[in-house]
Amino acid sequence: MFISHKTMTAHGEPATSDESNSNPVHPPVTSDVPLPNGNGNHKSTIVIENQPKRRVSIISDPPMIAGGGVIGGGYDNIAYEQNPRRKISQCSQHSHTEIGPARRKSILKDTPIHDNESDRASTHSYDYRGNALDILNAKYNGHQMGQSSQQGSNGANYVEESWMYTFCLKCRGEEPSASWEPPFWQKVFPYPLCPTFRTVSRLISLILIGVLIWVTAFVIIGDSAAPGGQLFGLVVLTVAANFGGYLISLTTLPRLIGMLMVGILFQNVGWVDLDGDFSKVTGHLRKFALTIILTRAGLEMEPKAFKKVYKTILKLGIVPWIVEAMVMAVMSHFLLDLPWIWALLLGTIIAAVSPAVVVPCLFRLRTKGYGVAKGIPTLVVAVAGVDDALSVAIFGIISTVMFSDKGLGYQIAQAPVCIIGGLGFGVVWGMLARIFPEKGDAFVVPLRTLLLFTGGLMAIYGSEEVGFEGAGPLAVVFSAFVSNLFWCKDGWDVEDNPVSTAFEIFWMIFEPILFGITGATIKIRELDSHTVSIGAACIFTGSILRILTTAGIAFGDRLNVKEKFFVGLSWMAKATVQAALGPVALKHLDENSTDEERNYAAIVQTICVFSIVLTAPLGAILISVTGTKLLTKTKQPQDLTGWRRSHRPSIRDISIIDEEEEREDPEIPEDKETQDNTHNNAHIPTISYSYNK
């Protein structure tokens, strides 16, 4: 309604005729009213100027309480809003009359309608979760009101303001689809203070699968699978490593750090024994894990991007790798007294980049738009794959030369035969993976997955059997890359590849196994402080020189100075290749090997493990923190739908980046009507209302 000649009191009653007719502009009115927070009386002043065009809503009947007083229910006075903390934006879908804290839109809001009534009620869990929290808040508020009548609205949302609520909300990820829950679940286990039914059911399923497999293994194998046996110890180590990785992931560090620490703990406390004949089992598990690592590296390379910038990828993938490997070899030779052949072996392992650390961090940046315009995340991931293939291939060549008793001609033929043979096998196997199975087959995804995995295993074991160990890793990476190239031509997308999703599931199984048994190779009592300190100095020196080399040779690649240094920083994290290859040299030794050779192999293994501990968390932090400072952000939204479950923000991802910047919604243009209204009302002073007791 418009205010022109008549005025009203704060309670909505008309003023006297004398006052309204004689004085069109009213003097300030003051009154003592209790504040909503219960802090006593407050002098409030009304100053209304002559503003005939301003629209003001007057409430005729203000909300009352039992005692006859006025509660803070005025809708026009911000101080009396029922929920002053609510954030209402131009793109909000919430009504301003809703009560409760500002919540993110539930992913379950648009859930399809179910036929079953109980399913329909439990699937729309957004409102149901709110009801569960309302019950907790009501119980707390009732308890507080019984203790003090002055509490007011301070405890209105106690549960959602508590540190426990915030901690639980940080520890959970968004579900990719609507989830079914029993009708009683939210009453007993309210969100997010308790896990969802989907999480609990998944955990129970995994436990049942593990128990059934253990029972079967116990019947087949016998004592080794019984409690106290080596196989049983490996299973316990794997489960504990997975849990340790989860705990470390809550601190936003890579999961593999927790897995490695659990392995070191089990070894030095005496809870696991993987030596003796059982070391053959762990050796085969490492090869399985290596096959998965290299296959994922090949599938992560985008063929179109690789074709456009293959010169840049090869340049940045080979030259910095050579620099870091040579620096590590030279320093370890002179400072650790390693022979040149052992020093080169160590350098090839340390120079590899870890996709397990780099890929999640870069995905977090890419989903926020950092570096997308120039394709920096794709460049870094592609180079990481090239580095892994190069490290494993050169390692295979050097180790074959070291531990082979064949002639000089055989050793000279190692490099060309391994390179040509590995690339040739990759091309042939990649073409077969396109033709078989037929692309329209209903079982094309599992068949392609198994075909690629078994082909990689055959390449790894076959190259070792024929004496050209370096050809296998190249064959695995290149077969995955060529297969992905043909699959993309048939309509698949690199970011929506179901075979990549299958290998991510394989990696979830083998990741705790690999890093658990790698940590279990470290015996702290037998460590030499001199080896550890010098090894750390060698690792950091090689990483720094690699960063400087990357920034120096990245000319002509459309990268500015900040982006060049970011690319160099992103390649300092070590993990997967070091865990897979670090203990291999020690496994190659037999009873005829000398104590000196065993000492060299132990030094290589120790430095590889410490390179993971030192560089993996540091690399993840540097990528996440410096990415927002050194890369340019674009407002183009990213499409995260499809098969790639890991390409959605989850607890497995690094989340050091401040999430507050995501709430600004930079992609949504500012409402012009809101701008005009704000500009037009800028000259109008703030109006406050007071209520008399």
Side-chain angles (χ1 to χ4, degrees), residues 375-416:
I376 293 178
T378 302
L379 171 66
V380 174
V381 172
V383 171
V386 173
D387 265 18
D388 287 352
L390 191 60
S391 291
V392 179
I394 301 301
F395 172 85
I397 295 173
I398 295 177
S399 61
T400 303
V401 173
M402 289 175 59
F403 303 109
S404 175
D405 54 357
K406 297 183 180 180
L408 180 62
Y410 170 80
Q411 296 179 355
I412 294 176
Q414 277 289 318

mmCIF file of all heavy atoms in Angstrom, residues 375-416:
data_model
loop_
_atom_site.group_PDB
_atom_site.id
_atom_site.type_symbol
_atom_site.label_atom_id
_atom_site.label_comp_id
_atom_site.label_asym_id
_atom_site.label_seq_id
_atom_site.Cartn_x
_atom_site.Cartn_y
_atom_site.Cartn_z
ATOM 1 N N GLY A 375 44.486 -25.635 -22.156
ATOM 2 C CA GLY A 375 44.628 -27.087 -22.075
ATOM 3 C C GLY A 375 45.773 -27.542 -21.194
ATOM 4 O O GLY A 375 46.378 -28.588 -21.439
ATOM 5 N N ILE A 376 46.085 -26.776 -20.139
ATOM 6 C CA ILE A 376 47.219 -27.129 -19.276
ATOM 7 C C ILE A 376 46.978 -28.435 -18.526
ATOM 8 O O ILE A 376 47.894 -29.274 -18.430
ATOM 9 C CB ILE A 376 47.522 -25.963 -18.320
ATOM 10 C CG1 ILE A 376 48.037 -24.761 -19.127
ATOM 11 C CG2 ILE A 376 48.533 -26.368 -17.257
ATOM 12 C CD1 ILE A 376 48.317 -23.531 -18.310
ATOM 13 N N PRO A 377 45.792 -28.695 -17.939
ATOM 14 C CA PRO A 377 45.597 -29.997 -17.290
ATOM 15 C C PRO A 377 45.826 -31.174 -18.228
ATOM 16 O O PRO A 377 46.463 -32.163 -17.852
ATOM 17 C CB PRO A 377 44.144 -29.923 -16.809
ATOM 18 C CG PRO A 377 43.870 -28.479 -16.636
ATOM 19 C CD PRO A 377 44.635 -27.805 -17.734
ATOM 20 N N THR A 378 45.323 -31.084 -19.462
ATOM 21 C CA THR A 378 45.545 -32.168 -20.426
ATOM 22 C C THR A 378 47.024 -32.330 -20.746
ATOM 23 O O THR A 378 47.535 -33.459 -20.859
ATOM 24 C CB THR A 378 44.763 -31.875 -21.717
ATOM 25 O OG1 THR A 378 43.380 -31.726 -21.408
ATOM 26 C CG2 THR A 378 44.947 -32.997 -22.722
ATOM 27 N N LEU A 379 47.737 -31.225 -20.872
ATOM 28 C CA LEU A 379 49.170 -31.273 -21.150
ATOM 29 C C LEU A 379 49.927 -31.970 -20.030
ATOM 30 O O LEU A 379 50.767 -32.844 -20.274
ATOM 31 C CB LEU A 379 49.699 -29.849 -21.348
ATOM 32 C CG LEU A 379 51.216 -29.689 -21.442
ATOM 33 C CD1 LEU A 379 51.748 -30.361 -22.697
ATOM 34 C CD2 LEU A 379 51.605 -28.209 -21.432
ATOM 35 N N VAL A 380 49.624 -31.606 -18.795
ATOM 36 C CA VAL A 380 50.347 -32.172 -17.657
ATOM 37 C C VAL A 380 50.076 -33.666 -17.531
ATOM 38 O O VAL A 380 50.989 -34.466 -17.286
ATOM 39 C CB VAL A 380 49.964 -31.425 -16.361
ATOM 40 C CG1 VAL A 380 50.588 -32.097 -15.149
ATOM 41 C CG2 VAL A 380 50.415 -29.973 -16.431
ATOM 42 N N VAL A 381 48.818 -34.077 -17.706
ATOM 43 C CA VAL A 381 48.473 -35.490 -17.594
ATOM 44 C C VAL A 381 49.129 -36.299 -18.711
ATOM 45 O O VAL A 381 49.640 -37.407 -18.487
ATOM 46 C CB VAL A 381 46.943 -35.660 -17.611
ATOM 47 C CG1 VAL A 381 46.572 -37.128 -17.688
ATOM 48 C CG2 VAL A 381 46.330 -35.040 -16.374
ATOM 49 N N ALA A 382 49.142 -35.755 -19.929
ATOM 50 C CA ALA A 382 49.765 -36.459 -21.044
ATOM 51 C C ALA A 382 51.262 -36.643 -20.820
ATOM 52 O O ALA A 382 51.820 -37.718 -21.090
ATOM 53 C CB ALA A 382 49.508 -35.708 -22.349
ATOM 54 N N VAL A 383 51.910 -35.601 -20.334
ATOM 55 C CA VAL A 383 53.350 -35.702 -20.068
ATOM 56 C C VAL A 383 53.619 -36.697 -18.947
ATOM 57 O O VAL A 383 54.629 -37.421 -18.968
ATOM 58 C CB VAL A 383 53.929 -34.314 -19.740
ATOM 59 C CG1 VAL A 383 55.363 -34.418 -19.255
ATOM 60 C CG2 VAL A 383 53.861 -33.425 -20.978
ATOM 61 N N ALA A 384 52.733 -36.754 -17.949
ATOM 62 C CA ALA A 384 52.902 -37.734 -16.873
ATOM 63 C C ALA A 384 52.860 -39.154 -17.426
ATOM 64 O O ALA A 384 53.644 -40.021 -16.997
ATOM 65 C CB ALA A 384 51.817 -37.538 -15.813
ATOM 66 N N GLY A 385 51.978 -39.405 -18.388
ATOM 67 C CA GLY A 385 51.950 -40.727 -19.014
ATOM 68 C C GLY A 385 53.207 -41.037 -19.794
ATOM 69 O O GLY A 385 53.728 -42.159 -19.750
ATOM 70 N N VAL A 386 53.734 -40.039 -20.521
ATOM 71 C CA VAL A 386 54.986 -40.231 -21.259
ATOM 72 C C VAL A 386 56.133 -40.501 -20.300
ATOM 73 O O VAL A 386 56.991 -41.369 -20.536
ATOM 74 C CB VAL A 386 55.279 -39.000 -22.134
ATOM 75 C CG1 VAL A 386 56.662 -39.104 -22.769
ATOM 76 C CG2 VAL A 386 54.212 -38.850 -23.219
ATOM 77 N N ASP A 387 56.158 -39.771 -19.189
ATOM 78 C CA ASP A 387 57.208 -39.978 -18.187
ATOM 79 C C ASP A 387 57.179 -41.388 -17.616
ATOM 80 O O ASP A 387 58.234 -42.027 -17.453
ATOM 81 C CB ASP A 387 57.026 -38.959 -17.042
ATOM 82 C CG ASP A 387 57.889 -37.738 -17.244
ATOM 83 O OD1 ASP A 387 58.344 -37.538 -18.383
ATOM 84 O OD2 ASP A 387 58.114 -36.985 -16.286
ATOM 85 N N ASP A 388 55.989 -41.856 -17.290
ATOM 86 C CA ASP A 388 55.876 -43.202 -16.725
ATOM 87 C C ASP A 388 56.366 -44.260 -17.704
ATOM 88 O O ASP A 388 57.123 -45.166 -17.330
ATOM 89 C CB ASP A 388 54.420 -43.483 -16.343
ATOM 90 C CG ASP A 388 54.001 -42.725 -15.100
ATOM 91 O OD1 ASP A 388 54.870 -42.114 -14.455
ATOM 92 O OD2 ASP A 388 52.806 -42.731 -14.777
ATOM 93 N N ALA A 389 55.922 -44.146 -18.954
ATOM 94 C CA ALA A 389 56.352 -45.123 -19.956
ATOM 95 C C ALA A 389 57.861 -45.078 -20.156
ATOM 96 O O ALA A 389 58.522 -46.130 -20.251
ATOM 97 C CB ALA A 389 55.631 -44.851 -21.280
ATOM 98 N N LEU A 390 58.419 -43.879 -20.193
ATOM 99 C CA LEU A 390 59.860 -43.739 -20.397
ATOM 100 C C LEU A 390 60.645 -44.307 -19.222
ATOM 101 O O LEU A 390 61.642 -45.027 -19.399
ATOM 102 C CB LEU A 390 60.196 -42.259 -20.606
ATOM 103 C CG LEU A 390 61.604 -41.924 -21.102
ATOM 104 C CD1 LEU A 390 61.877 -42.579 -22.449
ATOM 105 C CD2 LEU A 390 61.779 -40.412 -21.198
ATOM 106 N N SER A 391 60.188 -44.009 -18.011
ATOM 107 C CA SER A 391 60.897 -44.498 -16.823
ATOM 108 C C SER A 391 60.886 -46.017 -16.757
ATOM 109 O O SER A 391 61.922 -46.658 -16.522
ATOM 110 C CB SER A 391 60.259 -43.915 -15.556
ATOM 111 O OG SER A 391 60.483 -42.532 -15.459
ATOM 112 N N VAL A 392 59.702 -46.604 -16.964
ATOM 113 C CA VAL A 392 59.609 -48.060 -16.848
ATOM 114 C C VAL A 392 60.379 -48.747 -17.970
ATOM 115 O O VAL A 392 61.031 -49.784 -17.755
ATOM 116 C CB VAL A 392 58.128 -48.483 -16.842
ATOM 117 C CG1 VAL A 392 58.013 -49.991 -16.742
ATOM 118 C CG2 VAL A 392 57.395 -47.833 -15.688
ATOM 119 N N ALA A 393 60.329 -48.172 -19.170
ATOM 120 C CA ALA A 393 61.047 -48.788 -20.291
ATOM 121 C C ALA A 393 62.559 -48.730 -20.079
ATOM 122 O O ALA A 393 63.258 -49.744 -20.249
ATOM 123 C CB ALA A 393 60.661 -48.082 -21.592
ATOM 124 N N ILE A 394 63.085 -47.578 -19.715
ATOM 125 C CA ILE A 394 64.536 -47.456 -19.478
ATOM 126 C C ILE A 394 64.955 -48.298 -18.283
ATOM 127 O O ILE A 394 66.037 -48.911 -18.276
ATOM 128 C CB ILE A 394 64.922 -45.978 -19.278
ATOM 129 C CG1 ILE A 394 64.536 -45.162 -20.515
ATOM 130 C CG2 ILE A 394 66.401 -45.842 -19.016
ATOM 131 C CD1 ILE A 394 65.191 -45.621 -21.796
ATOM 132 N N PHE A 395 64.115 -48.344 -17.259
ATOM 133 C CA PHE A 395 64.411 -49.206 -16.110
ATOM 134 C C PHE A 395 64.520 -50.667 -16.548
ATOM 135 O O PHE A 395 65.423 -51.398 -16.108
ATOM 136 C CB PHE A 395 63.322 -49.058 -15.047
ATOM 137 C CG PHE A 395 63.438 -50.040 -13.919
ATOM 138 C CD1 PHE A 395 64.260 -49.776 -12.834
ATOM 139 C CD2 PHE A 395 62.736 -51.243 -13.945
ATOM 140 C CE1 PHE A 395 64.373 -50.687 -11.790
ATOM 141 C CE2 PHE A 395 62.842 -52.148 -12.911
ATOM 142 C CZ PHE A 395 63.664 -51.873 -11.827
ATOM 143 N N GLY A 396 63.584 -51.101 -17.393
ATOM 144 C CA GLY A 396 63.646 -52.480 -17.868
ATOM 145 C C GLY A 396 64.910 -52.762 -18.658
ATOM 146 O O GLY A 396 65.521 -53.831 -18.516
ATOM 147 N N ILE A 397 65.330 -51.807 -19.485
ATOM 148 C CA ILE A 397 66.555 -52.004 -20.269
ATOM 149 C C ILE A 397 67.777 -52.090 -19.360
ATOM 150 O O ILE A 397 68.626 -52.984 -19.491
ATOM 151 C CB ILE A 397 66.710 -50.860 -21.285
ATOM 152 C CG1 ILE A 397 65.574 -50.917 -22.315
ATOM 153 C CG2 ILE A 397 68.062 -50.926 -21.979
ATOM 154 C CD1 ILE A 397 65.546 -49.739 -23.255
ATOM 155 N N ILE A 398 67.874 -51.161 -18.400
ATOM 156 C CA ILE A 398 69.046 -51.146 -17.505
ATOM 157 C C ILE A 398 69.070 -52.390 -16.630
ATOM 158 O O ILE A 398 70.126 -53.013 -16.428
ATOM 159 C CB ILE A 398 69.038 -49.867 -16.656
ATOM 160 C CG1 ILE A 398 69.221 -48.640 -17.545
ATOM 161 C CG2 ILE A 398 70.135 -49.916 -15.602
ATOM 162 C CD1 ILE A 398 69.152 -47.321 -16.789
ATOM 163 N N SER A 399 67.912 -52.771 -16.074
ATOM 164 C CA SER A 399 67.891 -53.950 -15.203
ATOM 165 C C SER A 399 68.210 -55.223 -15.985
ATOM 166 O O SER A 399 68.866 -56.139 -15.457
ATOM 167 C CB SER A 399 66.513 -54.077 -14.545
ATOM 168 O OG SER A 399 65.505 -54.247 -15.521
ATOM 169 N N THR A 400 67.786 -55.295 -17.238
ATOM 170 C CA THR A 400 68.125 -56.461 -18.065
ATOM 171 C C THR A 400 69.629 -56.531 -18.303
ATOM 172 O O THR A 400 70.241 -57.610 -18.241
ATOM 173 C CB THR A 400 67.375 -56.397 -19.404
ATOM 174 O OG1 THR A 400 65.973 -56.327 -19.159
ATOM 175 C CG2 THR A 400 67.680 -57.622 -20.248
ATOM 176 N N VAL A 401 70.230 -55.385 -18.570
ATOM 177 C CA VAL A 401 71.682 -55.345 -18.766
ATOM 178 C C VAL A 401 72.412 -55.712 -17.484
ATOM 179 O O VAL A 401 73.425 -56.432 -17.494
ATOM 180 C CB VAL A 401 72.105 -53.950 -19.268
ATOM 181 C CG1 VAL A 401 73.629 -53.833 -19.303
ATOM 182 C CG2 VAL A 401 71.515 -53.682 -20.653
ATOM 183 N N MET A 402 71.906 -55.237 -16.334
ATOM 184 C CA MET A 402 72.568 -55.482 -15.054
ATOM 185 C C MET A 402 72.516 -56.948 -14.647
ATOM 186 O O MET A 402 73.518 -57.513 -14.181
ATOM 187 C CB MET A 402 71.923 -54.622 -13.954
ATOM 188 C CG MET A 402 72.219 -53.142 -14.052
ATOM 189 S SD MET A 402 71.311 -52.205 -12.805
ATOM 190 C CE MET A 402 71.917 -52.957 -11.297
ATOM 191 N N PHE A 403 71.373 -57.561 -14.784
ATOM 192 C CA PHE A 403 71.173 -58.898 -14.230
ATOM 193 C C PHE A 403 71.180 -59.990 -15.296
ATOM 194 O O PHE A 403 70.749 -61.114 -15.038
ATOM 195 C CB PHE A 403 69.848 -58.938 -13.463
ATOM 196 C CG PHE A 403 69.759 -57.922 -12.366
ATOM 197 C CD1 PHE A 403 68.927 -56.823 -12.484
ATOM 198 C CD2 PHE A 403 70.528 -58.051 -11.220
ATOM 199 C CE1 PHE A 403 68.848 -55.887 -11.479
ATOM 200 C CE2 PHE A 403 70.457 -57.111 -10.205
ATOM 201 C CZ PHE A 403 69.615 -56.018 -10.334
ATOM 202 N N SER A 404 71.652 -59.670 -16.503
ATOM 203 C CA SER A 404 71.738 -60.672 -17.555
ATOM 204 C C SER A 404 73.198 -61.084 -17.751
ATOM 205 O O SER A 404 74.118 -60.270 -17.645
ATOM 206 C CB SER A 404 71.165 -60.123 -18.867
ATOM 207 O OG SER A 404 71.344 -61.053 -19.909
ATOM 208 N N ASP A 405 73.394 -62.355 -18.036
ATOM 209 C CA ASP A 405 74.749 -62.866 -18.251
ATOM 210 C C ASP A 405 75.039 -63.108 -19.733
ATOM 211 O O ASP A 405 75.976 -63.829 -20.087
ATOM 212 C CB ASP A 405 74.949 -64.176 -17.481
ATOM 213 C CG ASP A 405 73.887 -65.206 -17.809
ATOM 214 O OD1 ASP A 405 72.965 -64.883 -18.592
ATOM 215 O OD2 ASP A 405 73.972 -66.329 -17.267
ATOM 216 N N LYS A 406 74.239 -62.501 -20.616
ATOM 217 C CA LYS A 406 74.441 -62.680 -22.050
ATOM 218 C C LYS A 406 75.484 -61.711 -22.564
ATOM 219 O O LYS A 406 75.950 -60.827 -21.848
ATOM 220 C CB LYS A 406 73.108 -62.513 -22.789
ATOM 221 C CG LYS A 406 72.077 -63.584 -22.401
ATOM 222 C CD LYS A 406 70.802 -63.453 -23.191
ATOM 223 C CE LYS A 406 69.798 -64.538 -22.788
ATOM 224 N NZ LYS A 406 68.532 -64.436 -23.541
ATOM 225 N N GLY A 407 75.828 -61.834 -23.838
ATOM 226 C CA GLY A 407 76.951 -61.104 -24.403
ATOM 227 C C GLY A 407 76.685 -59.628 -24.622
ATOM 228 O O GLY A 407 75.591 -59.091 -24.385
ATOM 229 N N LEU A 408 77.724 -58.958 -25.143
ATOM 230 C CA LEU A 408 77.667 -57.517 -25.372
ATOM 231 C C LEU A 408 76.670 -57.161 -26.473
ATOM 232 O O LEU A 408 75.967 -56.149 -26.372
ATOM 233 C CB LEU A 408 79.068 -57.000 -25.736
ATOM 234 C CG LEU A 408 79.184 -55.501 -26.007
ATOM 235 C CD1 LEU A 408 78.810 -54.703 -24.764
ATOM 236 C CD2 LEU A 408 80.599 -55.154 -26.456
ATOM 237 N N GLY A 409 76.602 -57.980 -27.525
ATOM 238 C CA GLY A 409 75.665 -57.698 -28.609
ATOM 239 C C GLY A 409 74.219 -57.696 -28.132
ATOM 240 O O GLY A 409 73.396 -56.867 -28.553
ATOM 241 N N TYR A 410 73.919 -58.619 -27.235
ATOM 242 C CA TYR A 410 72.571 -58.673 -26.670
ATOM 243 C C TYR A 410 72.268 -57.414 -25.869
ATOM 244 O O TYR A 410 71.163 -56.860 -25.946
ATOM 245 C CB TYR A 410 72.446 -59.921 -25.797
ATOM 246 C CG TYR A 410 71.199 -59.987 -24.963
ATOM 247 C CD1 TYR A 410 69.990 -60.399 -25.512
ATOM 248 C CD2 TYR A 410 71.232 -59.643 -23.619
ATOM 249 C CE1 TYR A 410 68.846 -60.461 -24.741
ATOM 250 C CE2 TYR A 410 70.105 -59.704 -22.835
ATOM 251 C CZ TYR A 410 68.910 -60.117 -23.406
ATOM 252 O OH TYR A 410 67.781 -60.176 -22.637
ATOM 253 N N GLN A 411 73.235 -56.930 -25.126
ATOM 254 C CA GLN A 411 73.024 -55.729 -24.328
ATOM 255 C C GLN A 411 72.877 -54.487 -25.211
ATOM 256 O O GLN A 411 72.068 -53.602 -24.919
ATOM 257 C CB GLN A 411 74.183 -55.556 -23.351
ATOM 258 C CG GLN A 411 74.287 -56.675 -22.332
ATOM 259 C CD GLN A 411 75.456 -56.494 -21.387
ATOM 260 O OE1 GLN A 411 76.261 -55.574 -21.544
ATOM 261 N NE2 GLN A 411 75.572 -57.380 -20.402
ATOM 262 N N ILE A 412 73.640 -54.442 -26.297
ATOM 263 C CA ILE A 412 73.530 -53.287 -27.197
ATOM 264 C C ILE A 412 72.165 -53.279 -27.899
ATOM 265 O O ILE A 412 71.585 -52.214 -28.154
ATOM 266 C CB ILE A 412 74.675 -53.316 -28.238
ATOM 267 C CG1 ILE A 412 76.022 -53.127 -27.530
ATOM 268 C CG2 ILE A 412 74.471 -52.249 -29.300
ATOM 269 C CD1 ILE A 412 77.216 -53.248 -28.456
ATOM 270 N N ALA A 413 71.626 -54.458 -28.188
ATOM 271 C CA ALA A 413 70.347 -54.549 -28.893
ATOM 272 C C ALA A 413 69.150 -54.257 -27.998
ATOM 273 O O ALA A 413 68.020 -54.171 -28.491
ATOM 274 C CB ALA A 413 70.194 -55.942 -29.506
ATOM 275 N N GLN A 414 69.393 -54.105 -26.711
ATOM 276 C CA GLN A 414 68.281 -53.896 -25.790
ATOM 277 C C GLN A 414 67.444 -52.671 -26.153
ATOM 278 O O GLN A 414 66.216 -52.757 -26.279
ATOM 279 C CB GLN A 414 68.819 -53.751 -24.360
ATOM 280 C CG GLN A 414 69.098 -55.052 -23.652
ATOM 281 C CD GLN A 414 67.825 -55.787 -23.296
ATOM 282 O OE1 GLN A 414 66.849 -55.198 -22.851
ATOM 283 N NE2 GLN A 414 67.835 -57.090 -23.525
ATOM 284 N N ALA A 415 68.076 -51.516 -26.309
ATOM 285 C CA ALA A 415 67.335 -50.264 -26.522
ATOM 286 C C ALA A 415 66.517 -50.283 -27.814
ATOM 287 O O ALA A 415 65.289 -50.062 -27.771
ATOM 288 C CB ALA A 415 68.298 -49.082 -26.489
ATOM 289 N N PRO A 416 67.111 -50.540 -28.979
ATOM 290 C CA PRO A 416 66.284 -50.496 -30.199
ATOM 291 C C PRO A 416 65.207 -51.565 -30.245
ATOM 292 O O PRO A 416 64.081 -51.301 -30.690
ATOM 293 C CB PRO A 416 67.305 -50.688 -31.329
ATOM 294 C CG PRO A 416 68.484 -51.315 -30.691
ATOM 295 C CD PRO A 416 68.520 -50.816 -29.299
#
